[in-house]
């Protein structure tokens, strides 16, 4: 087995990966809060985690992957203040919080499928693990880590020796960050809620004191009072329950380092007395408008639907684009950038199409080079460069194809599922541009010439809403052996 090096936030350096159980990996990745659509920034994090999982498997590991669905307890403020995002979503949409969770969970599943992100072995919904979370609070209470104030049960971070071991920040700086949301009753600014009360003191809803619109939908009775779990507790309880002792790698975006993951570590290690996860990996942000983090709370929020599907662009273009940037480097989104990625991806697909259909043998030298790239802290830009080396080498087409298919087990770009040959006819405004990529040499020259002439005429007819003419031309294409599909992007022509 080749060595895999991963950047571990805990140690602040690349380290050789060593699993707890030989040949196996326990992987936990923080999942979506299902009160809204995932934005493409969130999806960048899930693509990076998918690559990690594929790299581990490509190296022969059996991976047990657990991902949570946060359907309760994630508040609008990171420091346990503000509103529960699920209840907020419920008010916004006039649906119950449960319905909101179901709707956005489904939307999330669709997004990851469109991006070839493999599902985890185990999905865990926070509301299905209330019992485990309550047990964890009891354990912490017994060991003296908790205290109760008017709005919930809190974890006392001053009782933990190395509270800052993940963030590597000075304790004063962490506390300063935590002061943003003021709560005078907390003993230390960094203390966080394990259990939040629905109403002050943990009592039930009282119409004489509480407003009807403040009535909570998701709440459970506990020894401390009626309420709901804190967001950090969910991941601690669910990872312990599903992975047991196999706490190898835990991932998320870099925004999780200072609060969410720091608190997960504090409470889990306090409860178990053992190390909680050996490797912590974090993906950098997708930025927009010149370095601004894409966030759900801002109006710069783009979904896969509006940034890709509605524009007639294949969502895999986004996967391809993210692989061109190392996961620990910030990535800037722009429409122009995605158009270029789209052209680059189409070019790659056509290069692969041109290799024909018969796969030969995987070239071991290139495989070794590719593995060196991905095993070096998931260096996907370098891995894509090796793909190009293969394509430009003097190997036979059959062997090139086999080698690229093998690499695609990690890249997940669907290169093994290309159907037919594609010619994209892009049309913008009055101009009609025929855009033919390399790799279409097997289309007879005569046909290409004919397509170049006819395609702009048909595009113009469609633009002028001359449906009779456009249908007539479609028939001509058909009888020459080409099928036309009209997309938002323009016309797509495939060989029959
Ligand atoms: P959330 O649904 O807010 O809990 O976020 C889901 C995942 O997306 C987490 O791993 C976050 O760290 C990550 N994330 C949030 N915003 C961005 C962004 N702009 N770029 C990359 N990852 C992000
Ligand atoms: Zn988490």
């Amino acid at each position: 087995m080749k060595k895999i090096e991963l950047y571990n936030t805990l140690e602040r350096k690349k380290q050789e990966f060593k699993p707890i159980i030989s040949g196996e990996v326990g992987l936990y990745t923080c999942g979506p809060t299902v009160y809204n659509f995932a934005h493409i920034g969130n999806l960048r994090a899930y693509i990076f985690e998918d690559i990690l999982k594929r790299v581990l498997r490509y190296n022969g590991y059996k991976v047990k992957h657990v991902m949570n669905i946060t359907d309760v307890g994630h508040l609008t403020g990171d420091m346990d203040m503000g509103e529960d995002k699920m209840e907020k979503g419920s008010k916004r949409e006039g649906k119950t919080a449960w319905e909101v969770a179901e709707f956005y969970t489904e939307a999330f599943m669709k997004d990851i499928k469109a991006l070839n992100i493999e599902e985890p072995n185990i999905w865990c919904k926070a509301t299905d693990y209330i019992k485990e979370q309550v047990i964890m609070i009891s354990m912490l209470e017994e060991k003296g880590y908790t205290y109760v104030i008017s709005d919930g049960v809190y974890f006392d971070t001053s009782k933990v020796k190395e509270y800052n071991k993940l963030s590597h920040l000075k304790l004063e700086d962490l506390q300063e960050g935590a002061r943003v949301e003021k709560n005078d009753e907390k003993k230390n600014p960094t203390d966080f809620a394990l259990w939040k009360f629905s109403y002050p003191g943990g009592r039930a809803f009282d119409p004489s004191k509480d407003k009807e619109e403040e009535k909570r939908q998701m709440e459970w009775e506990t020894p401390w009072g009626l309420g709901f779990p804190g967001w950090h507790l969910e991941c601690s309880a669910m990872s312990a329950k599903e992975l047991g002792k196999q706490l190898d790698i835990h991932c998320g975006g870099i925004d999780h380092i200072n609060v969410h993951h720091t608190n997960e570590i504090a409470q889990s290690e306090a409860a178990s007395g053992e190390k909680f996860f050996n490797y912590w990996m974090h993906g950098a942000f997708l930025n927009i408008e010149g370095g601004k983090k894409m966030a759900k709370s801002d109006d710069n929020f783009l979904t896969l639907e509006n940034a890709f599907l509605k524009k007639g662009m294949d969502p895999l273009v986004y996967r391809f684009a993210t692989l061109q940037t190392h996961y620990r480097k910030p990535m800037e989104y722009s429409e122009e950038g995605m158009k270029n990625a789209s052209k680059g991806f189409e070019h790659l697909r056509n290069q692969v199409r041109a290799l024909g259909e018969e796969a030969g043998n995987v070239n071991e030298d290139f495989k070794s080079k590719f593995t060196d790239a991905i095993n070096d802290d998931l260096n996907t830009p370098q891995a894509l460069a090796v793909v190009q080396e293969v394509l430009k080498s003097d190997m036979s087409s059959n062997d090139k194809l086999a080698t690229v298919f093998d690499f695609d087990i990690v890249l997940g770009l669907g290169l093994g599922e290309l159907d037919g040959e594609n010619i994209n006819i892009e049309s913008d405004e009055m101009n009609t541009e025929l855009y033919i990529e390399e790799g279409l040499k097997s289309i007879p020259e005569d046909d290409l010439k004919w397509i170049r002439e006819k395609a702009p005429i048909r595009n113009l007819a469609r633009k002028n809403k001359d449906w009779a003419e456009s249908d007539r031309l479609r028939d001509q294409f058909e009888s020459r052996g080409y099928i036309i599909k009209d997309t938002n992007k323009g016309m797509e022509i495939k060989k029959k």
Side-chain angles (χ1 to χ4, degrees):
M1 222 183 234
K2 274 199 174 195
K3 169 163 111 171
I4 304 180
E5 292 222 309
L6 301 173
Y7 185 88
N8 187 354
T9 309
L10 203 53
E11 308 297 336
R12 275 172 132 177
K13 61 174 188 235
K14 276 197 240 176
Q15 281 186 315
E16 182 176 351
F17 174 67
K18 296 223 167 85
I20 294 165
I21 299 174
S22 170
E24 295 185 19
V25 186
L27 171 68
Y28 186 91
T29 56
C30 288
T33 305
V34 285
Y35 73 112
N36 207 333
F37 291 107
H39 59 63
I40 56 173
N42 301 133
L43 294 169
R44 180 181 184 205
Y46 302 118
I47 296 172
F48 132 62
E49 293 157 354
D50 185 58
I51 292 288
L52 169 66
K53 179 162 122 184
R54 288 166 179 259
V55 166
L56 291 165
R57 273 212 315 251
Y58 190 76
N59 279 274
Y61 286 104
K62 187 171 161 223
V63 182
K64 182 170 181 186
H65 177 202
V66 178
M67 194 193 290
N68 66 296
I69 302 266
T70 297
D71 60 350
V72 69
H74 194 171
L75 304 187
T76 47
D78 260 2
M79 301 307 300
D80 307 309
M81 303 295 275
E83 214 179 337
D84 186 320
K85 292 183 177 180
M86 297 309 306
E87 306 259 346
K88 187 178 168 183
S90 156
K91 280 179 205 145
R92 182 187 66 221
E93 303 195 2
K95 292 183 191 164
T96 67
W98 302 97
E99 284 165 349
V100 170
E102 201 181 318
F103 178 82
Y104 289 111
T105 301
E106 237 170 70
F108 180 69
M109 302 287 177
K110 252 198 226 156
D111 283 348
I112 62 169
K113 191 157 185 241
L115 288 168
N116 275 353
I117 294 172
E118 290 178 11
E119 287 197 37
N121 304 86
I122 298 171
W123 286 111
C124 35
K125 266 197 328 195
T127 52
D128 288 340
Y129 291 75
I130 299 296
K131 195 178 85 200
E132 285 77 8
Q133 297 175 67
V134 171
I135 291 172
M136 195 166 224
I137 304 174
S138 300
M139 284 163 73
L140 291 168
E141 187 179 43
E142 237 167 69
K143 294 189 173 186
Y145 285 99
T146 65
Y147 62 93
V148 178
I149 56 177
S150 63
D151 74 346
V153 183
Y154 279 73
F155 183 91
D156 185 347
T157 52
S158 69
K159 298 240 158 95
V160 174
K161 257 202 234 117
E162 284 181 289
Y163 179 68
N164 60 346
K165 71 178 180 187
L166 185 70
S167 65
H168 306 279
L169 290 175
K170 283 197 207 125
L171 209 56
E172 302 90 81
D173 292 341
L174 275 176
Q175 289 180 345
E176 205 44 52
R179 270 194 200 94
V180 180
E181 294 166 38
K182 212 163 154 13
N183 181 340
D184 289 335
E185 288 182 70
K186 285 204 302 195
K187 290 187 183 169
N188 310 287
T190 44
D191 293 355
F192 56 90
L194 297 163
W195 191 258
K196 282 281 277 188
F197 295 143
S198 296
Y199 311 98
R203 61 168 172 77
F205 180 76
D206 179 348
S208 70
K209 293 181 184 141
D210 306 309
K211 289 189 204 128
E212 192 59 32
E213 66 265 25
E214 281 165 5
K215 200 168 181 177
R216 267 197 70 88
Q217 299 170 44
M218 294 174 148
E219 54 187 10
W220 294 264
E221 198 50 79
T222 66
W224 309 279
L226 182 70
F228 56 97
W231 172 42
H232 320 306
L233 185 66
E234 299 175 0
C235 291
S236 282
M238 295 189 288
S239 55
K241 162 90 179 172
E242 296 302 345
L243 291 175
K245 299 265 175 222
Q246 245 184 316
L247 304 175
D248 287 302
I249 310 177
H250 194 129
C251 302
I254 47 168
D255 51 338
H256 283 351
I257 299 173
N258 296 353
V259 182
H260 183 51
H261 288 166
T262 286
N263 291 344
E264 280 187 43
I265 293 174
Q267 68 200 354
S268 289
E269 296 192 349
S272 71
E274 283 169 25
K275 189 172 181 189
F276 183 60
F277 285 96
N278 289 333
Y279 301 85
W280 289 81
M281 295 178 68
H282 295 96
F285 287 145
L286 176 77
N287 294 324
I288 190 162
E289 293 159 359
K292 237 174 98 188
K293 174 195 170 193
M294 184 173 289
K296 283 184 198 162
S297 44
D298 289 338
D299 32 342
N300 62 22
F301 164 173
L302 290 172
T303 60
L304 206 57
E305 175 78 22
N306 55 30
F308 292 89
L309 293 163
K310 275 201 182 138
K311 292 186 178 153
M313 220 189 258
D314 186 335
L316 285 179
V317 167
Y318 184 57
R319 185 175 174 108
F320 178 71
T322 65
L323 300 191
Q324 289 176 317
T325 307
H326 189 260
Y327 78 93
R328 284 196 295 118
K329 291 220 173 91
M331 173 176 165
E332 178 77 21
Y333 169 89
S334 71
E335 264 191 64
E336 200 48 40
M338 290 307 135
K339 267 192 200 156
N340 288 335
S342 175
K343 283 190 180 155
F345 187 42
E346 199 47 45
H347 178 65
L348 171 64
R349 297 215 272 202
N350 284 330
Q351 285 174 301
V352 176
R353 283 187 186 109
L355 299 174
E357 309 233 311
E358 195 120 337
N361 298 314
V362 176
N363 179 293
E364 288 306 321
D365 291 339
F366 279 118
K367 185 179 173 87
S368 172
K369 218 170 170 186
F370 179 81
T371 311
D372 286 343
I374 52 170
N375 284 15
D376 178 15
D377 195 29
L378 321 181
N379 193 340
T380 51
Q382 184 59 37
L384 288 173
V386 179
V387 172
Q388 283 307 322
E389 277 185 49
V390 169
L391 292 166
K392 296 196 172 109
S393 71
D394 54 11
M395 275 157 60
S396 72
S397 293
N398 299 1
D399 289 355
K400 282 184 188 173
L401 197 64
T403 309
V404 171
F405 283 174
D406 180 67
F407 296 175
D408 203 44
I409 297 172
V410 172
L411 303 172
L413 293 169
L415 298 176
E417 295 133 35
L418 304 175
D419 52 344
E421 286 177 287
N422 252 348
I423 302 174
N424 287 320
I425 309 293
E426 282 193 342
S427 52
D428 50 50
E429 297 303 327
M430 281 307 289
N431 300 323
T432 309
E433 185 190 342
L434 176 62
Y435 158 66
I436 299 177
E437 290 288 358
E438 222 184 88
L440 296 171
K441 300 189 183 78
S442 59
I443 293 182
E445 245 333 287
D446 278 3
D447 280 10
L448 266 183
K449 193 163 165 271
W450 184 85
I451 292 169
R452 276 181 212 276
E453 273 166 23
K454 296 286 179 181
I457 301 173
R458 183 165 183 278
N459 270 342
L460 191 64
R462 277 180 58 76
K463 193 167 169 43
N464 295 337
K465 299 194 165 40
D466 185 350
W467 309 126
E469 172 71 354
S470 95
D471 283 350
R472 195 180 64 79
L473 282 156
R474 176 196 290 277
D475 292 345
Q476 284 189 9
F477 272 87
E478 285 244 19
S479 46
R480 207 167 169 126
Y482 296 92
I483 300 169
I484 285 179
K485 198 171 131 205
D486 292 308
T487 71
N488 297 0
K489 197 164 112 185
M491 190 156 72
E492 221 176 77
I493 304 172
K494 279 188 182 167
K495 253 182 164 179
K496 254 191 193 168

